C-alpha cells in the first residue's frame, strides 16, 4: 500500500483509523500503526525517487512533501555494531544499511551479540524485545532466516 500524505484521510480507512493518522504525531504515528499490524514500511519520494527513513513530512533529499509508504524488501547489511554490557548481559546495537538506501538503528537478534559483524547480511522483521510488547523493526542474519532460527515470525 502506498500512502500520499496529502490524501492520508482517504488512504488510511483500511488501517482502522477514524481520523487522519498524521494528526496525533505525524508520519511517526503512521509508522507505528504499520508496526502494530506487523508490517515494516518506509517512505519513498515521488519527486526524486529516494527512499526515506526515519518517517518525515518532507523529503530530506529534495524537500518535496510527496512521500508515499512502501514495503521495503527487508534485506540489509550491518554498517556498524556495538555491544553494550550490563549486569543483565550483553546485547548489540547495529546500524543497518537497507537495500533501498536508508540506514537505520536497530538490533540483530537470534545470535550472540558478539557474533554480529560489519558487512553481515541481515533481514528485517517486526518483533518485540524482552517483556516490552511494543513492536519494533529487528534484524536477524540472513542464514538464520533461511534455517528458520532466530526470534519473531
Amino acid at each position: 500500500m502506498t500512502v500520499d500524505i496529502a490524501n492520508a484521510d482517504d488512504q488510511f480507512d483500511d488501517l482502522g483509523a477514524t481520523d487522519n493518522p498524521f494528526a496525533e504525531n505525524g508520519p511517526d504515528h503512521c509508522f507505528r500503526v504499520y508496526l502494530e499490524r506487523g508490517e515494516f514500511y518506509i517512505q519513498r519520494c515521488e519527486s526524486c525517487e529516494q527512499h526515506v527513513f526515519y518517517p518525515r513530512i518532507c523529503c530530506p533529499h529534495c524537500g518535496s512533501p510527496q512521500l508515499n509508504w512502501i514495503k521495503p524488501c527487508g534485506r540489509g547489511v550491518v554498517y556498524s555494531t556495538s555491544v553494550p554490557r550490563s549486569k543483565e548481559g550483553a546485547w548489540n546495537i547495529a546500524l543497518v544499511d537497507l537495500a533501498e538506501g536508508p540506514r537505520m538503528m536497530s538490533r540483530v537478534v537470534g545470535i550472540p551479540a558478539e557474533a554480529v559483524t560489519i558487512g553481515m547480511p541481515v533481514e528485517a522483521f517486526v518483533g518485540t524485545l524482552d517483556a516490552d510488547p511494543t513492536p519494533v523493526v529487528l534484524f536477524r542474519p540472513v542464514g538464520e532466516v533461511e534455517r528458520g532460527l532466530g526470534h519473531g515470525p
Side-chain angles (χ1 to χ4, degrees), residues 6-86:
N7 300 308
D9 284 320
D10 299 332
Q11 297 176 12
F12 269 84
D13 289 340
D14 68 327
L15 293 178
T18 56
D19 296 322
N20 181 343
F22 298 102
E24 181 182 334
N25 292 317
D28 185 58
H29 176 74
C30 180
F31 180 68
R32 287 192 315 264
V33 168
Y34 280 122
L35 290 178
E36 289 169 6
R37 289 177 42 179
E39 299 174 325
F40 172 38
Y41 277 77
I42 62 173
Q43 293 172 303
R44 180 179 176 275
C45 179
E46 285 291 313
S47 296
C48 70
E49 300 182 355
Q50 294 289 316
H51 292 90
V52 176
F53 187 85
Y54 201 81
R56 301 172 192 253
I57 292 173
C58 293
C59 177
H61 305 283
C62 72
S64 170
Q66 296 300 315
L67 296 172
N68 291 325
W69 291 96
I70 61 114
K71 191 168 197 144
C73 72
R75 298 282 175 144
V77 175
V78 174
Y79 172 81
S80 176
T81 184
S82 181
V83 181
R85 300 174 197 288
S86 72

Side-chain angles (χ1 to χ4, degrees), residues 5 16 21 28 36-37 39 53 65 69 80 84 89 93 97 103-104 110 112 115 118-119 123 128-129 133 141-143:
I5 64 171
D28 185 58
E36 289 169 6
R37 289 177 42 179
E39 299 174 325
F53 187 85
W69 291 96
S80 176
I93 299 171
D97 287 340
R103 180 175 291 157
M104 66 183 298
I118 293 170
E123 187 165 44
T128 59
L129 291 170
V142 170

